[in-house]
Amino acid sequence: MAEAVVAANVAASQTDSSLVAAVAGARIAVLSAVVKSGGTATNVTFNSKPSGAGTAISPLFAMAANDDLVLPYTGKPWFYTAEGQGLTVTTGTGATTGLLINYRLEP
């Protein structure tokens, strides 16, 4: 399937902030990511989100103030959502976090 890119600025202390909406019968494969923390340290966790609470699909990334996290494109996904679930992110207290996510939908 074709690849796509989503960009978002997510405020501090957000739980399951939506990045990519769920698609019936498909899972979201995260192929690469760039995450930039703001002026205060924060944490970032990617989640697979059904209609209820999301489930972590990445480790907690602890980021210093003005820190960068790069998950480079390798040709293989870093992680997947569950089938039919959206991709969300949870942020810790701190500052707004910028995200740029390269993904594709897979059956």
Side-chain angles (χ1 to χ4, degrees), residues 17-100:
S17 183
S18 182
L19 297 174
V20 181
V23 175
R27 61 186 183 162
I28 299 162
V30 175
L31 303 171
S32 64
V34 176
V35 181
K36 176 71 174 175
S37 64
T40 307
T42 192
N43 298 322
V44 175
T45 305
F46 291 93
N47 307 300
S48 182
K49 174 84 164 93
S51 58
T55 301
I57 56 173
S58 77
L60 179 144
F61 296 109
M63 302 184 67
N66 299 309
D67 202 4
D68 298 314
L69 167 71
V70 177
L71 301 178
Y73 186 89
T74 65
K76 295 186 178 186
W78 283 89
F79 39 82
Y80 295 92
T81 64
E83 184 177 316
Q85 295 188 6
L87 177 66
T88 66
V89 67
T90 295
T91 56
T93 60
T96 296
T97 302
L99 299 108
L100 185 63

